[in-house]
Amino acid sequence: MVSKLLEVTDLETHFISDDATVKAVDNVSFYINNAETLGIVGESGCGKSVTSLSIMRLLKNTPGKIVGGEITFLDQNLLNLSEKEMRAVRGNQIAMIFQEPMTSLNPVYKIGRQIEEGIRLHLKLDKAAAKARALEMLELVGIPRAKDILNEYPYQLSGGMRQRVMIAMAMSCVPKLLIADEPTTALDVTIQAQILDLMRDLRKNSDTSILMITHDLGVVAEMCDRVIVMYAGQIVEEASVLELFENPQHPYTKGLINSIPKLGNYTERLDSIPGNVPTPENMPTGCRFAPRCSFVMKQCLSEAPMLKGVQENHSCRCWLSEVEKND
Amino acid sequence: MLQYLLRRLLGMIPILFIVTIIVFLFVHLIPGDAARLVAGPDANKETIELVRKDLGLDKPIHEQYFTFIGNLLKGDLGTSLKTHKPVFDELAGRFIPTFWLTFWSMLWACIVGILIGIVSAVKRNKWQDYTGMLIAVVGISIPSFWLGLLLMQLFSVKLGWLPTGGLEDWRGYILPSITLGTGVAAIIARFSRSSLMDVLKEDYIRTGRAKGFAENSLVKRHAIKNAMIPVITMTGLQFGFLLGGSVVTETVFSFPGLGRLLIDAIATRDYPIIQAEILLFSVEFILINLVVDLMYGFLNPQIRYS
Ligand SMILES: Nc1ncnc2c1ncn2[C@@H]1O[C@H](COP(=O)(O)OP(=O)(O)OP(=O)(O)O)[C@@H](O)[C@H]1O
Ligand SMILES: [Mg+2]
């Protein structure tokens, strides 16, 4: 039986400043099963990173605050843990890699030290054993000259190599969940493919679940089992990857799928979605996507749709799919 | 590393050359007749001219400069116009006290400044931060002659714990060091605070948090070394401030150092002394810059051997 590793229920994360409250994550619920890869896709600013930082409870140094919901991981609500208990989870049971490989490593310390310190912290290994483990991890992520790299500084490595180091670091304590926040966005295309290959291999050879955050449906198609589409802080569609690509329901999802460049189609313009994500100040009262939607109806402008199941394991937040269902 | 050091030392030569020209011109172009001064107030015209010839002041200015450089290379800094002793001896006796005064001032200023900066950054917008920055603002604003007099009033006159001035023993260093270091400590505190706060916003600190490190150990393990890189540069620049500050402080405390010697020399137009002192200050400043660069390389692996 598949069991849920992580379940996020009604998560609300707000950014509170003097003049406004931005609901960066608005009533978001999802789950990840053991050894499953869940994708979160959406345009810039839709709340993907804030969702992942909320799970890690790493918003303390930002104006962001989790104001509601539950994050159940291994049967405990992470939001109820003390800061000390939470630190034992971070980097140990839940690890994270970031979008910015160039700046995510400390420039003044050697690679080896930076990998070893996490290993020593969580696995309580001694110096020599931690070093051996770091070396093993670097070899696992396909770094050539792994032994030398341990004694090198981040500036001596390329972006792709640094991201490999970040992955080695994240996987070194055998996390149950790996959160990858756009791990390939900052890399060029060939390196992107290498890193995705690497992550797929790692997934095959371990039970680690992955939360794959991206704005690239191509990455989702290659990597994920299930996918969540986010728009302006809300989930607008959720389905298995196959189902989503075959039977997209939400006009936003359809737009995203149409904007993937297809082979042999280079001469035509990309079918991108017109308009921009609404700013928090002028969030529409009805459906948040309505101003950009080509299927917009009267109802969409006044009433916000709910996330409703359209099929088993497929839900969508759109009046259109409810209309269809009622027909 | 050694090669780098050598290259830097060689690089100092042209700079020093330019410094000598500036110093020489500066002293010679300011108004006031040194020959008249040396000859004394009652001297008649002939005597003054005689003295002028004696000092070489009648020669064209470039010739005077070459004589100056030639002597300088021989280690001859000339003789004081006032005491008629070699300038070198005059300076040597004053260098050690000023060196220690600067050293102790800088040492406590660095320790206290960096500590206040770190605490303020870590506890930002809490009372520790507000207290630290209030102290820093006061430290920067207070004029050093006034602080010196205040300290003297309290610790020497009222409490009688410390001497009012002079340098009988080590206690003579205490009040001048406090006076001289206060402004620098305050600047270092503010700079360390903002530098550490910037570093704490960096992505690699977020990585450290995601690894499960506590905020305190992140500051110790990951932030301080990065935060200190700009602080070192700034501290090096503060040495210039200290050299200037020593003039005021030494005057307030009748401290037998280079600063007071300079003031006396300026008052009496003892230009060989003035020249030598400005030259010495410049050399010190250049050397400190070299030390700063070396420390910078030590902290920042990227520029270590380039
Ligand atoms: N530090 C912050 N201060 C204020 N608001 C923030 C901050 N970080 C995020 N937000 C708000 O949260 C929203 C969601 O941001 P988030 O970083 O999660 O977007 P994202 O989906 O990860 O986008 P991207 O693809 O650009 O990484 C932003 O639009 C912004 O309004
Ligand atoms: Mg993001």
Side-chain angles (χ1 to χ4, degrees):
Chain A
M1 201 206 112
V2 279
S3 58
K4 286 174 186 170
L5 175 70
L6 174 83
E7 180 157 26
V8 173
T9 322
D10 300 330
L11 181 66
E12 293 273 345
T13 305
H14 295 178
F15 283 86
I16 300 155
S17 65
D18 292 339
D19 35 55
T21 297
V22 177
K23 296 183 178 178
V25 175
D26 191 2
N27 215 347
V28 163
S29 302
F30 61 89
Y31 63 91
I32 304 177
N33 289 326
N34 274 317
E36 185 186 39
T37 301
L38 174 73
I40 300 184
V41 267
E43 275 167 294
S44 192
C46 70
K48 304 181 300 283
S49 296
V50 174
T51 303
S52 61
L53 291 174
S54 302
I55 296 170
M56 289 290 262
R57 280 184 40 195
L58 282 177
L59 291 162
K60 220 183 83 204
N61 297 281
T62 70
K65 204 167 158 47
I66 300 173
V67 293
E70 274 178 29
I71 299 172
T72 311
F73 176 76
L74 293 173
D75 299 322
Q76 55 184 351
N77 184 357
L78 295 183
L79 299 181
N80 290 341
L81 297 187
S82 70
E83 183 55 29
K84 187 159 180 257
E85 290 165 325
M86 193 60 213
R87 283 202 298 271
V89 173
R90 283 187 206 125
N92 190 18
Q93 291 170 314
I94 307 181
M96 196 161 175
I97 51 180
F98 298 96
Q99 184 171 347
E100 304 85 4
M102 298 314 279
T103 51
S104 289
L105 289 165
N106 192 330
V108 304
Y109 293 112
K110 291 176 179 165
I111 303 289
R113 178 191 148 147
Q114 296 190 50
I115 304 178
E116 286 157 29
E117 64 176 8
I119 297 172
R120 296 187 66 181
L121 180 71
H122 294 298
L123 303 185
K124 312 276 183 250
L125 297 180
D126 65 25
K127 216 175 162 142
K131 190 165 184 171
R133 175 87 183 137
L135 184 62
E136 184 192 335
M137 290 312 298
L138 283 185
E139 282 165 353
L140 188 71
V141 298
I143 288 198
R145 308 187 295 116
K147 214 173 187 135
D148 302 334
I149 299 285
L150 282 179
N151 286 317
E152 285 182 9
Y153 290 93
Y155 77 92
Q156 291 168 289
L157 305 185
S158 67
M161 281 298 151
R162 289 189 211 187
Q163 198 60 297
R164 280 174 199 264
V165 169
M166 289 300 292
I167 294 173
M169 207 149 86
M171 297 299 289
S172 63
C173 298
V174 202
K176 296 252 180 347
L177 174 66
L178 174 67
I179 301 177
D181 189 354
E182 314 216 22
T184 57
T185 306
L187 305 172
D188 59 46
V189 189
T190 42
I191 310 292
Q192 266 186 30
Q194 287 174 14
I195 296 288
L196 289 179
D197 279 346
L198 167 66
M199 291 190 64
R200 250 199 318 264
D201 283 349
L202 289 176
R203 197 179 65 128
K204 238 186 293 175
N205 302 326
S206 74
D207 305 330
T208 301
S209 304
I210 301 177
L211 179 61
M212 185 78 186
I213 293 172
T214 177
H215 58 251
D216 183 350
L217 270 177
V219 172
V220 169
E222 280 189 59
M223 294 287 301
C224 302
D225 303 311
R226 278 188 309 121
V227 57
I228 286 168
V229 182
M230 278 185 82
Y231 187 80
Q234 295 179 323
I235 296 182
V236 295
E237 189 159 7
E238 177 183 353
S240 74
V241 169
L242 274 179
E243 168 76 12
L244 190 90
F245 279 92
E246 263 170 27
N247 185 22
Q249 290 293 310
H250 200 283
Y252 179 62
T253 314
K254 289 176 187 166
L256 283 182
I257 292 176
N258 284 336
S259 63
I260 303 176
K262 289 178 196 69
L263 225 63
N265 220 3
Y266 290 121
T267 47
E268 281 173 45
R269 260 191 82 243
L270 283 187
D271 220 352
S272 66
I273 307 166
N276 286 311
V277 186
T279 55
E281 300 86 60
N282 46 34
M283 199 53 85
T285 39
C287 171
R288 295 184 179 180
F289 187 60
R292 301 170 72 187
C293 183
S294 33
F295 306 98
V296 63
M297 306 179 295
K298 209 166 174 194
Q299 189 181 18
C300 306
L301 298 173
S302 53
E303 278 177 81
M306 304 300 283
L307 192 64
K308 292 234 172 83
V310 283
Q311 275 179 36
E312 213 195 331
N313 297 327
H314 189 166
S315 41
C316 178
R317 186 190 293 273
C318 181
W319 290 121
L320 219 56
S321 48
E322 292 197 17
V323 173
E324 277 165 18
K325 218 168 55 177
N326 294 341
D327 286 345
Chain B
M1 197 68 188
L2 206 67
Q3 221 180 355
Y4 173 76
L5 193 65
L6 265 174
R7 209 168 56 221
R8 285 296 307 264
L9 286 172
L10 285 177
M12 281 173 60
I13 293 174
I15 301 175
L16 281 176
F17 182 68
I18 294 168
V19 168
T20 55
I21 294 181
I22 294 173
V23 168
F24 178 81
L25 286 180
F26 184 67
V27 173
H28 281 254
L29 294 181
I30 46 177
D33 188 349
R36 168 158 295 166
L37 214 74
V38 173
D42 305 329
N44 58 22
K45 228 173 166 182
E46 285 73 44
T47 324
I48 291 173
E49 283 315 308
L50 220 65
V51 171
R52 197 187 302 286
K53 213 169 202 141
D54 204 31
L55 293 172
L57 291 175
D58 58 332
K59 298 208 184 96
I61 197 148
H62 64 271
E63 249 177 71
Q64 289 188 41
Y65 175 71
F66 288 129
T67 321
F68 165 67
I69 280 285
N71 289 339
L72 194 63
L73 289 176
K74 281 183 271 171
D76 177 7
L77 292 165
T79 43
S80 161
L81 297 184
K82 201 172 116 212
T83 61
H84 304 289
K85 280 194 235 152
V87 170
F88 187 88
D89 297 348
E90 290 277 350
L91 256 60
R94 301 296 193 103
F95 178 76
I96 302 291
T98 295
F99 174 82
W100 285 116
L101 174 61
T102 316
F103 177 82
W104 292 119
S105 305
M106 206 44 156
L107 189 73
W108 85 258
C110 280
I111 293 173
V112 172
I114 289 172
L115 279 180
I116 290 181
I118 290 172
V119 171
S120 298
V122 172
K123 305 271 178 196
R124 63 186 158 286
N125 297 334
K126 302 218 175 83
W127 68 265
Q128 293 96 327
D129 184 19
Y130 294 131
T131 316
M133 287 307 106
L134 185 70
I135 295 174
V137 167
V138 173
I140 288 174
S141 320
I142 197 165
S144 56
F145 75 88
W146 192 58
L147 176 65
L149 290 173
L150 225 63
L151 289 170
M152 202 193 287
Q153 181 68 26
L154 180 63
F155 291 102
S156 314
V157 179
K158 266 218 170 110
L159 298 170
W161 292 350
L162 295 165
T164 49
L167 189 57
E168 305 277 292
D169 53 18
W170 59 270
R171 293 185 310 155
Y173 281 112
I174 296 177
L175 291 182
S177 300
I178 295 175
T179 308
L180 188 54
T182 298
V184 178
I187 291 172
I188 292 178
R190 299 214 326 184
F191 204 76
S192 306
R193 173 179 180 268
S194 70
S195 175
L196 184 55
M197 272 170 40
D198 285 346
V199 168
L200 287 174
K201 286 189 203 121
E202 293 281 345
D203 288 341
Y204 52 82
I205 297 297
R206 184 185 59 186
T207 305
R209 290 194 186 107
K211 273 200 246 179
F213 282 100
E215 208 64 14
N216 279 347
S217 58
L218 269 179
V219 170
K220 266 184 267 163
R221 301 176 72 96
H222 280 279
I224 287 196
K225 198 169 165 191
N226 288 286
M228 282 308 116
I229 293 174
V231 173
I232 296 250
T233 312
M234 205 272 322
T235 305
L237 291 176
Q238 292 309 308
F239 262 102
F241 176 82
L242 274 196
L243 295 176
S246 65
V247 174
V248 176
T249 308
E250 289 181 6
T251 309
V252 170
F253 288 97
S254 331
F255 187 92
L258 290 172
R260 212 159 54 96
L261 182 65
L262 183 64
I263 288 291
D264 293 346
I266 290 171
T268 56
R269 277 189 205 292
D270 195 347
Y271 71 85
I273 298 258
I274 302 176
Q275 262 175 351
E277 283 229 22
I278 297 178
L279 214 55
L280 182 63
F281 282 165
S282 309
V283 173
E284 280 175 12
F285 201 66
I286 294 168
L287 280 176
I288 285 159
N289 266 314
L290 178 62
V291 172
V292 165
D293 283 357
L294 291 178
M295 282 174 77
Y296 200 85
F298 176 73
L299 287 179
N300 188 350
Q302 198 156 350
I303 56 158
R304 211 163 274 178
Y305 299 108
S306 50

